[in-house]
Amino acid sequence: MMQMLAAGGLPVLTDGERQADADNPRGYYEWERIKLLPQQPDSIAEAEGKVVKAVTQLLFALPPGRDYRIIFMQRPLPEVVASQAEMIRRRGTSGAALPPAALISGLTVHLNQVNNWLRDRTDISILRVDHHDVLRGPVAIAESIQKFLQRSLDIAAMAEQVDASLYRQRVSP
Amino acid sequence: MPEPLAKKVLLIGWDAADWKVINPLLDQGLMPTLDDFINHGVMGNIATLRPILSPMLWNSIATGKRAHKHGIHGFMEPDPQNGGIRPVSSTSRKVKAIWNILTQRGFKTHVLGWFAGHPAEPINGISVSDLFPYATAALDQPWPLPPGAVYPENLRDTFTQLRMHPAEVTEAAILPWIPRAAEIDQEKDKGLTSFAKILAENCSIHNAATWILQNEPWDFLAVYYNGIDHFCHGFMHFHPPRMDGIPEDKFEIYRDVVNGAYRFHDMMLQTLLDLAGPDATVLLVSDHGFHSDHLRPRGIPAEPAGPAVQHRPFGIVCIKGPNIQQDERIYGATLLDVTPTILTLFGLPVGSDMDGRVLVQAFEEPPQISRIPSWEQELGECGMHPSDLRMDPAAAQAVLQQFVALGYIQPPSEDQTKAVASAVREANYNLARDYLDCGRPDEALPLFEDLAKNDPKQSRFQMHLAQCYLALNRRDAAKQILESLITADLNPPAEPASQAEVGAEAQPAVAAEVKAEEVASPDAIKDDATPTETKPPAPRPWADLLMGIIHFEEGNMDEALASLLKAEQSDPRLPNLHLRIGETYLRQKRTDDAGRAFQQALEIDGDSPEAHLGLAMVNLRKRENEAAAEQALLAVGLQHFLPLGHFYLGVALARMGHRQRATLAFETCLSMLPGLVAAHRWLAALHSQPGGDLDKAVRHRSLYAQLMQQRKTRAQV
C-alpha cells in the first residue's frame, strides 16, 4: 500500500532506516519515530500533508486537534498471524507467548477496541481496504483512495505497484 | 417466582469499616444515624476473603463469586493502549455484577465508584466509574473526566460539575477534624494534603449519589466510599491510644481524624437514608475491618502486599427495611452473601454458581429462595461491555509483545516493563491465594510453582508454595522448602544484598497482603506521617510454624510443639500460632495448657472463631458444658461455616439435656461436613431417646456404620 501511495504521487514520511529484506523485498516505507508517538504525540506534526505508516496500537496516541485520514488495511487474522510469525522468525525476536488461536483471539479484541476508540474520534476519517481486494482489483482500490483523499492521484502507477507474488500467507480455502 | 421483599434497594459500601471503631462511637452517641439504623435493622460481622485486597473483595460482594470466577485479581493490570499498567478495569470482570443482573431484568439500576468500574458499564441507569473522583490537575488547570467515566455520555457534563477538588477543601472543613491544623509544617508533613484529597474524593462520590437519588428514578443504587479505608491507612497510627514511636505532637494533631472519618460517613449516611426514603431496603457493608487497637502493626512491610497487614478479617454488615428484622444480630455473614441476599430481596433467583448464601437470618420471615444454574447463561441485555471488548489482561500484554517483536512499536520503558511484570506477577499470586483460600490447592499449585521458580528470592512465594504442598498432603515437598528457608535464615549471605533485595528476601508469607488502595490514589495515604516501611519479619518463624503443622499432621506431637515454640520465641504474635500450640496441647492431653494457648490467641484477636472453637473443646474435655456451648456459639457466630463449631455446640447441648437444640446443631454440622462420623453417632443416639425420630435414628446409625467401614477400608489400604 505504501508503494501504491508513493507511486500515486503522495509524499511519504520515511527515514529509510529499515532496509528491504526477504519479508518485503521492495523495501519498507517506515518512519521510526512514529514508534515514539505515545511519548511524543506532537511529533505527528512532521507528518502533516504526508503519508505515514503506523500499526493500529499507535492510533491510540494520535493527539486531537488535527484532521486525520486513515487508510485502514484489513486482512484475515489467521493470515496476519502466520505472516507475523514468519517475520518474527526471520528477525530472531520472540513474539507473544500465546498459541496462534489465542493470539488471533487477542488481536480480534484489540481490533474491536481500536474500532471502538475510532468511533469516538470525530477528527478521524477512515477508509477500510481489504488486502485481498487490493490484489484482486488494484485500480478500483486506487480510485477509492483518490476519492477518499480528495486528491488527484496517478491511478495507473498505483495499480502497477501491486505484486501478487508477495501474497504468501494465504489461508487455505 | 418468589414475591419481591423490597421495593428498592440501596447498597452502601464503606471500605474497611469496623465495629471495633464504631462501637465506642455509638456508645458516646457520636454516630446517631448508624445507631438508629441498627436499632431498626440487623447488624453483624461480615467475614472477608483472602487475600484481603479491596478490588477482589468488592467484586466478590457485587457478584457473589470468588475472585477466580469474577476475574479481578489485583489493583493493576497491563494497559494494552500504552504498554504500561492501569487500574484494574470493568472489561476484565468475567461475570455479571448485581447491577448487570438487575439491568437484565429491567430494574432501574445505578452504580457509583465501584472498584474495577472503569470504563462505566452501559447499564439501565447511570454508571459512574471509580476514576470519577480523582483530581488529575491543579484546580486552576483543566481536569476533565477521563473518557468512559460516566454512562450515559450525555450526563458527563452534569457529573463533571459534581466533583470536588482537594483545593476546595477549606479551613472550615478541616478544623473540626484537625483543630490544630495551623501547627502543621506543610513543607515537611503532607498529612493535610492527603486529608483534603480523601475528603474531596468522597464528597465527589457522595454528590453523585445524592444527585441520582434526587433526580433519577431508581430501583437499585450501589455506591462505594473509600474514605474510611484511606483515612485509616493515613491516620490510624495516630488514633488513641498513642502507639509507641508516634511523636506526641503529631499524635495530638491527628488523633481525631479516624473518628472524624466515621462521624462524617455517619452524616453522609443520614443524607442517603433521607433521600432513599423509609420504604427502601438499605444494606451497609464493608469488605474488611482495620486494626485500631494493640494489633496495629508498627510498620508496613516493604512489598506490594504491605499495607494490607493493617486490615482485620471482619468488616460490618447492617440491613434495614421492609421485611427485615429489627434490632437483631445476624451471624456468619460473608462478603459472598450480599448479592444472593439482594437477589432474594428483588424476588429473583440466586445463581447456583454463586459462592455465597442468602442471609435468611436477616428476614422477619424465612424468605422463599429460588435458584437457577447460573445468571451467566441467562440471555438479554445486561449492560456489560460487549464481550468483544473484554480481554484477559495477560492476552492484551501478549498482543503488545507481538507488536514489539515485529518492530512496530517501541518496547515499553524499563519502568513500564517492570510495572507490567509486577502487575502480572501479583495478579497470579492473588489468584493462587484465592484458590488456596477456597480449598482448591491443586489449582493454586502451578501458579505458586511458577512464582517460586521465577522469583526464588521472594520467600512469600516459597512459603505459600509450602502451604500449598501441605494442603495437598505433599509433606516432603513442603518440608524441603521450609528447611531451606530456615537454613537460609540461619546462614544469611555475608555481603548484604541491595535494599530492594533485602526487602524481597525478607517478605513474610501468610501475612503478606497486597498494597492498599493508594494505587488508584497514589498520594492519598503516602506522606511522612504514615508509619515507615519496615523490613518485614524474617521467614523463619513462618517456616517453624509450618514445620510444626507438618509434625502435627504426621502425629509427632513433641516435635510439633518444639517447632511451634521456636516460632513463638521469634514472633509471639504470629497469626494462628497459638491456635496451633493449643491444638497440639489438646492432642497431648494437656488441657489446661491448651486453654492458656487459646486464651493467648484471643488476647491477640478477640474475634478469632478458631480460638473460641479451641476453648469449646477445652471446656468439653473438662465437662464444663455450659461454657463449651457459649464458646461454640461465639465461634459459629463469628464464622457460620464452621462445622466443628456446630458439632461442639451439639455435644455441649446434648450433655446439658437440650435434645432438640443439640439435634439442630448436629444437623447443621452435617450439612457442612456430611462425613463427620461422630455427628451421625450423636444423632443416632439422640433420635433413639424417647420421643425421638426412630427412622432418623436408624438412618444415622446406618450412615455411621458405613462411614466407619469406609474408614477401616481406607486404613487397610
Side-chain angles (χ1 to χ4, degrees):
Chain A
M1 177 53 68
M2 293 301 288
Q3 281 141 8
M4 280 182 82
L5 295 171
L10 291 165
V12 174
L13 182 59
T14 176
D15 47 30
E17 278 194 19
R18 192 166 175 191
Q19 301 301 312
D21 59 21
D23 289 313
N24 202 343
R26 293 168 65 178
Y28 293 86
Y29 284 77
E30 292 189 355
W31 184 52
E32 276 292 310
R33 286 187 58 204
I34 193 74
K35 296 178 191 172
L36 294 173
L37 197 60
Q39 292 81 37
Q40 300 165 6
D42 291 343
S43 63
I44 199 67
E46 294 180 49
E48 186 75 47
K50 298 175 188 159
V51 177
V52 64
K53 180 178 166 186
V55 69
T56 46
Q57 180 66 31
L58 294 171
L59 298 182
F60 294 122
L62 283 177
R66 293 177 188 278
D67 182 21
Y68 298 101
R69 307 274 169 101
I70 293 180
I71 299 171
F72 200 122
M73 293 300 296
Q74 300 181 146
R75 189 176 177 185
L77 285 176
E79 290 184 13
V80 172
V81 168
S83 167
Q84 290 181 348
E86 185 59 22
M87 284 177 74
I88 286 170
R89 190 186 66 75
R90 289 186 203 273
R91 286 169 63 87
T93 53
S94 62
L98 290 177
L103 184 56
I104 289 167
S105 159
L107 285 169
T108 304
V109 178
H110 163 74
L111 287 176
N112 288 331
Q113 289 171 335
V114 171
N115 289 327
N116 195 49
W117 181 86
L118 284 169
R119 262 199 301 276
D120 295 336
R121 288 290 296 257
T122 52
D123 53 346
I124 296 177
S125 322
I126 302 169
L127 175 69
R128 294 182 188 277
V129 174
D130 190 290
H131 182 78
H132 293 185
D133 290 346
V134 177
L135 299 174
R136 277 194 291 261
V139 172
I141 292 297
E143 286 170 348
S144 69
I145 291 170
Q146 175 172 262
K147 190 176 168 194
F148 172 66
L149 297 177
Q150 297 174 330
R151 288 177 69 158
S152 177
L153 300 174
D154 186 340
I155 301 294
M158 287 173 78
E160 279 174 17
Q161 300 303 311
V162 177
D163 180 355
S165 69
L166 291 178
Y167 179 37
R168 288 170 296 216
Q169 303 298 338
R170 288 170 201 271
V171 173
S172 306
Chain B
M1 185 70 72
E3 285 292 306
L5 297 168
K7 285 184 184 168
K8 47 191 180 178
V9 173
L10 172 60
L11 171 61
I12 305 169
W14 282 1
D15 200 310
D18 191 320
W19 291 119
K20 277 193 175 180
V21 183
I22 292 172
N23 284 331
L25 293 171
L26 291 175
D27 292 343
Q28 296 169 66
L30 295 177
M31 292 186 77
T33 306
L34 185 58
D35 195 30
D36 186 69
F37 188 124
I38 57 185
N39 286 337
H40 292 89
V42 297
M43 62 173 284
N45 281 316
I46 193 163
T48 192
L49 307 168
R50 287 177 192 280
I52 308 179
L53 180 56
S54 288
M56 301 168 80
L57 303 176
W58 285 104
N59 279 279
S60 286
I61 289 172
T63 60
K65 296 179 179 178
R66 299 198 61 117
H68 66 267
K69 290 184 185 170
H70 64 57
I72 302 298
H73 300 151
F75 278 99
M76 306 303 284
E77 64 185 17
D79 183 345
Q81 289 199 7
N82 66 14
I85 56 171
R86 66 182 181 195
V88 65
S89 66
S90 56
T91 50
S92 294
R93 201 183 66 240
K94 295 189 290 192
V95 301
K96 292 172 186 170
I98 180 68
W99 46 84
N100 301 119
I101 294 172
L102 294 175
T103 287
Q104 195 163 349
R105 288 302 175 99
F107 291 98
K108 203 67 181 169
T109 301
H110 312 284
V111 58
L112 288 169
W114 217 263
F115 255 115
H118 190 86
E121 289 180 277
I123 57 175
N124 180 28
I126 297 170
S127 173
V128 175
S129 90
D130 50 336
L131 301 193
F132 158 78
Y134 297 120
T136 51
L139 183 58
D140 58 353
Q141 302 289 316
W143 54 301
L145 275 174
V150 175
Y151 176 88
E153 181 67 22
N154 63 4
L155 288 174
R156 182 183 180 81
D157 290 345
T158 303
F159 279 86
T160 296
Q161 299 305 317
L162 290 169
R163 295 173 307 160
M164 182 178 186
H165 193 281
E168 295 175 298
V169 174
T170 61
E171 190 180 295
I174 294 169
L175 289 178
W177 308 52
I178 310 175
R180 293 167 59 178
E183 296 172 28
I184 298 170
D185 177 353
Q186 293 194 55
E187 287 296 309
K188 293 180 183 166
D189 178 348
K190 301 296 179 195
L192 276 186
T193 308
S194 297
F195 172 86
K197 188 175 189 308
I198 303 167
L199 186 64
E201 287 164 3
N202 282 272
C203 286
S204 298
I205 289 286
H206 188 61
N207 290 346
T210 55
W211 188 90
I212 290 174
L213 289 170
Q214 286 172 309
N215 293 286
E216 291 288 318
W218 65 285
D219 299 307
F220 175 78
L221 183 141
V223 54
Y224 164 81
Y225 296 86
N226 65 20
I228 290 176
D229 183 77
H230 284 197
F231 279 122
C232 287
H233 278 294
F235 300 96
M236 182 57 90
H237 45 290
F238 301 120
H239 187 67
R242 182 156 70 95
M243 292 172 72
D244 290 344
I246 296 295
E248 187 158 1
D249 56 339
K250 284 204 170 187
F251 171 72
E252 290 299 334
I253 287 171
Y254 293 117
R255 58 177 295 155
D256 293 325
V257 172
V258 169
N259 282 346
Y262 276 85
R263 294 178 66 189
F264 180 60
H265 279 71
D266 194 65
M267 293 174 203
M268 292 195 287
L269 177 63
Q270 183 64 54
T271 310
L272 293 177
L273 295 180
D274 288 345
L275 292 172
D279 59 344
T281 300
V282 185
L283 291 91
L284 174 64
V285 298
S286 65
D287 55 338
H288 54 76
F290 204 99
H291 289 301
S292 55
D293 48 22
H294 61 291
L295 295 177
R296 284 176 289 182
R298 288 187 178 80
I300 306 299
E303 62 188 22
V309 297
Q310 296 176 287
H311 294 163
R312 211 169 71 84
F314 290 99
I316 68 165
V317 57
C318 311
I319 312 174
K320 83 173 190 76
N323 301 305
I324 299 296
Q325 294 206 71
Q326 298 203 9
D327 199 16
E328 289 290 339
R329 281 191 70 112
I330 56 172
Y331 295 97
T334 79
L335 306 186
L336 297 164
D337 303 336
V338 174
T339 282
T341 303
I342 294 172
L343 288 171
T344 301
L345 283 166
F346 278 108
L348 295 175
V350 176
S352 294
D353 58 345
M354 289 179 177
D355 298 309
R357 67 191 177 94
V358 179
L359 294 170
V360 290
Q361 213 187 346
F363 292 82
E364 285 176 339
E365 302 290 336
Q368 195 187 339
I369 300 167
S370 63
R371 289 191 175 274
I372 55 172
S374 172
W375 278 97
E376 307 312 320
Q377 272 78 55
E378 293 290 299
L379 299 176
E381 182 49 56
C382 70
M384 288 180 87
H385 291 295
S387 59
D388 60 3
L389 286 182
R390 284 185 270 135
M391 175 154 47
D392 170 10
Q397 194 52 31
V399 169
L400 278 188
Q401 171 58 33
Q402 181 83 349
F403 289 148
V404 170
L406 289 160
Y408 289 161
I409 60 171
Q410 195 75 358
S413 69
E414 196 179 335
D415 284 351
Q416 281 181 314
T417 305
K418 275 186 187 167
V420 167
S422 170
V424 171
R425 182 193 63 202
E426 294 303 315
N428 285 336
Y429 179 49
N430 296 329
L431 174 62
R433 293 181 63 194
D434 176 62
Y435 278 132
L436 197 56
D437 190 48
C438 68
R440 294 172 64 174
D442 48 334
E443 308 268 6
L445 184 63
L447 292 163
F448 282 134
E449 282 181 334
D450 262 7
L451 288 161
K453 183 177 150 202
N454 295 334
D455 220 337
K457 284 190 173 179
Q458 297 238 21
S459 56
R460 59 185 174 138
F461 298 154
Q462 304 286 344
M463 295 299 295
H464 274 100
L465 178 59
Q467 265 193 312
C468 194
Y469 281 137
L470 198 52
L472 289 163
N473 280 326
R474 291 172 62 180
R475 293 189 196 114
D476 288 342
K479 264 186 190 171
Q480 200 177 344
I481 292 172
L482 296 172
E483 278 161 2
S484 68
L485 279 171
I486 290 170
T487 308
D489 198 47
L490 288 172
N491 303 294
E495 291 296 319
S498 72
Q499 191 59 40
E501 286 167 338
V502 169
E505 180 54 33
Q507 279 156 356
V510 188
E513 292 294 349
V514 179
K515 202 107 177 165
E517 285 73 352
E518 79 271 33
V519 179
S521 172
D523 54 355
I525 61 166
K526 285 282 185 189
D527 56 71
D528 69 355
T530 51
T532 48
E533 289 193 334
T534 59
K535 184 180 165 183
R540 189 173 161 205
W542 289 100
D544 283 327
L545 169 61
L546 286 187
M547 283 299 262
I549 293 170
I550 291 173
H551 290 313
F552 180 93
E553 292 187 355
E554 288 176 341
N556 303 322
M557 294 303 136
D558 291 342
E559 287 177 50
L561 195 59
S563 288
L564 294 172
L565 293 178
K566 249 193 247 172
E568 189 189 14
Q569 276 177 357
S570 312
D571 185 355
R573 286 156 66 102
L574 210 53
N576 296 331
L577 172 64
H578 295 285
L579 300 175
R580 291 296 183 170
I581 294 175
E583 285 169 10
T584 310
Y585 281 135
L586 273 178
R587 193 69 76 85
Q588 291 180 319
K589 311 280 185 212
R590 293 166 63 176
T591 310
D592 287 337
D593 288 333
R596 274 190 289 276
F598 291 127
Q599 284 293 357
Q600 265 181 298
L602 277 181
E603 279 166 27
I604 292 173
D605 180 6
D607 284 338
S608 162
E610 294 86 0
H612 287 297
L613 192 68
L615 283 174
M617 186 63 204
V618 167
N619 292 134
L620 282 177
R621 284 260 179 96
K622 297 163 90 172
R623 295 268 159 185
E624 295 165 352
N625 295 321
E626 205 167 325
E630 192 182 326
Q631 291 296 339
L633 272 172
L634 285 168
V636 298
L638 286 162
Q639 185 180 324
H640 181 72
F641 194 92
L642 199 61
L644 278 182
H646 295 282
F647 176 75
Y648 293 160
L649 178 61
V651 174
L653 291 170
R655 285 182 184 168
M656 290 157 71
H658 300 301
R659 194 179 72 191
Q660 280 186 333
R661 288 175 62 199
T663 303
L664 190 60
F666 287 127
E667 283 172 351
T668 307
C669 162
L670 285 175
S671 71
M672 297 171 181
L673 191 61
L676 191 67
V677 178
H680 288 291
R681 194 177 59 179
W682 271 100
L683 279 172
L686 287 171
H687 285 304
S688 301
Q689 290 177 6
D693 183 332
L694 287 178
D695 287 344
K696 284 187 177 173
V698 170
R699 189 160 62 84
H700 283 294
R701 196 168 296 126
S702 157
L703 283 168
Y704 170 71
Q706 280 175 33
L707 288 165
M708 286 304 286
Q709 184 57 43
Q710 283 172 12
R711 187 186 280 184
K712 210 169 163 182
T713 310
R714 272 201 307 269
Q716 284 166 353
V717 170

